[in-house]
Amino acid sequence: MENDLVIPRHIAIIMDGNGRWAQKHSLERCEGHRMGAEALKKLIENMRDLPEVKYMTFYAFSTENWKRSEEEVSALMHLLVEFLDMNLSIFMKNDLRLLVTGRLEGMPEEPRSKLKEAIEKTKDNKGLCVIIALNYGGRSEIADAAKAIARKAACGELDPEKVDEKLFAEYLYNPQVPDPDLLIRTSGELRLSNFLLWEISYSEIYVTDTLWPDFDKNELMEAIKSFNKRSRRFGGR
Ligand code: IPE
Ligand code: IPE
Ligand code: MG
């Protein structure tokens, strides 16, 4: 059965539920985030036996997550630095490429420079492309694209009449990455929380009650099986 599955080329995941996981285990929220980072590491390491998946985008920090306490935000930034330090070797060993989506310039200096370094080091890797969404907001991404287009139009480099969906998409953060086929949200919430608003127009959505730190390759296979039961019509018949 598994051999016959259609495997999505791009899977995007809203990694939600670290706080609830911590609460369930009577731990601090930060411990939930730590276990969440561990789950992410294990999952990308295990993707080697699903080579048909070429891109995975993970929502790690939204433009709205700055509203959290200073303590939680700084713990998350610290974890990110630790994640990059500890796992760069895993990226190299598994031929994984790292990309980021979001306003990188709004990130604190240390994670920003580590991210740039890891992106540079992994840029020639040919396996799975791991895209981490950081300081990411779907509306910011669309607004940033609109700003870049408006600037070009204002100085006469672009004819406003030429702006269509295809051209607009070229101004998004990672225009070379195809739209997600499958969007997964863990922890049961039925909302997008400002994730990839443009790109998920026709993605299939799968929501599981499993909390992110408990999400693993088996859970991913369940999502892929559900994806295989969908009839994607893209508005046609
Ligand atoms: C997701 O877990 C991680 C981030 C948003 C950074 P949460 O921290 O949102 O966990 P819950 O939703 O409170 O359980
Ligand atoms: C979405 O989760 C953002 C990430 C997973 C990084 P949130 O926990 O921030 O979303 P809401 O607040 O439940 O909408
Ligand atoms: Mg949450």
Side-chain angles (χ1 to χ4, degrees):
M1 159 70 180
E2 243 156 65
N3 294 340
D4 300 333
L5 289 175
V6 174
I7 307 294
R9 181 165 58 147
H10 182 177
I11 302 175
I13 307 186
I14 301 174
M15 306 186 287
D16 197 18
N18 294 349
R20 275 161 280 179
W21 186 93
Q23 197 172 31
K24 191 174 146 192
H25 293 85
S26 310
L27 294 166
E28 298 282 327
R29 286 184 68 80
C30 294
E31 286 308 309
H33 294 315
R34 181 173 300 283
M35 292 311 287
E38 192 59 25
L40 174 60
K41 181 197 99 173
K42 285 198 187 122
L43 184 65
I44 58 177
E45 227 184 341
N46 281 331
M47 290 306 292
R48 63 172 91 84
D49 32 279
L50 267 185
E52 301 93 333
V53 180
K54 305 288 183 205
Y55 304 88
M56 288 184 93
T57 301
F58 295 95
Y59 204 5
F61 195 88
S62 73
T63 46
E64 288 73 33
N65 287 147
W66 298 108
K67 291 183 211 158
R68 297 191 180 196
S69 72
E70 210 186 305
E71 187 195 354
E72 184 170 355
V73 170
S74 85
L76 282 164
M77 294 301 152
H78 183 74
L79 256 179
L80 172 61
V81 169
E82 217 175 81
F83 179 86
L84 294 167
D85 282 344
M86 281 167 54
N87 300 324
L88 193 55
S89 57
I90 290 177
F91 273 78
M92 297 315 287
K93 195 171 135 214
N94 293 283
D95 206 21
L96 307 174
R97 184 170 172 209
L98 179 75
L99 284 180
V100 163
T101 187
R103 285 181 174 158
L104 196 55
E105 68 281 5
M107 291 286 286
E109 164 55 26
E110 199 188 8
R112 194 177 60 210
S113 66
K114 295 264 179 201
L115 284 162
K116 283 193 178 149
E117 205 181 300
I119 291 167
E120 178 61 26
K121 282 216 172 102
T122 61
K123 75 176 193 309
D124 295 322
N125 290 354
K126 298 283 183 282
L128 174 69
C129 181
V130 175
I131 304 153
I132 308 192
L134 287 161
N135 193 19
Y136 177 86
R139 288 182 172 179
S140 303
E141 181 175 26
I142 293 168
D144 286 351
K147 194 197 283 178
I149 291 169
R151 274 207 194 106
K152 277 207 169 172
C155 67
E157 280 176 30
L158 179 74
D159 174 2
E161 292 308 317
K162 296 250 155 61
V163 179
D164 58 11
E165 289 176 27
K166 188 169 167 290
L167 181 135
F168 195 92
E170 283 164 18
Y171 287 82
L172 296 172
Y173 294 144
N174 287 304
Q176 76 284 17
V177 175
D179 290 344
D181 305 289
L182 173 61
L183 170 73
I184 298 172
R185 182 166 187 146
T186 58
S187 308
E189 243 54 85
L190 300 175
R191 55 176 172 260
L192 295 174
S193 302
N194 203 12
F195 192 40
L196 303 178
L197 298 181
W198 177 283
E199 296 87 340
I200 57 172
S201 293
Y202 272 102
S203 305
E204 294 297 326
I205 301 174
Y206 177 86
V207 175
T208 171
D209 285 334
T210 301
L211 305 173
W212 173 253
D214 294 328
F215 191 89
D216 61 10
K217 180 73 184 306
N218 291 333
E219 296 272 348
L220 184 72
M221 289 317 299
E222 288 307 313
I224 293 176
K225 280 180 199 157
S226 167
F227 174 80
N228 273 260
K229 291 187 190 128
R230 316 287 176 87
S231 149
R232 298 185 83 189
R233 292 194 287 271
F234 301 99
R237 272 292 172 270

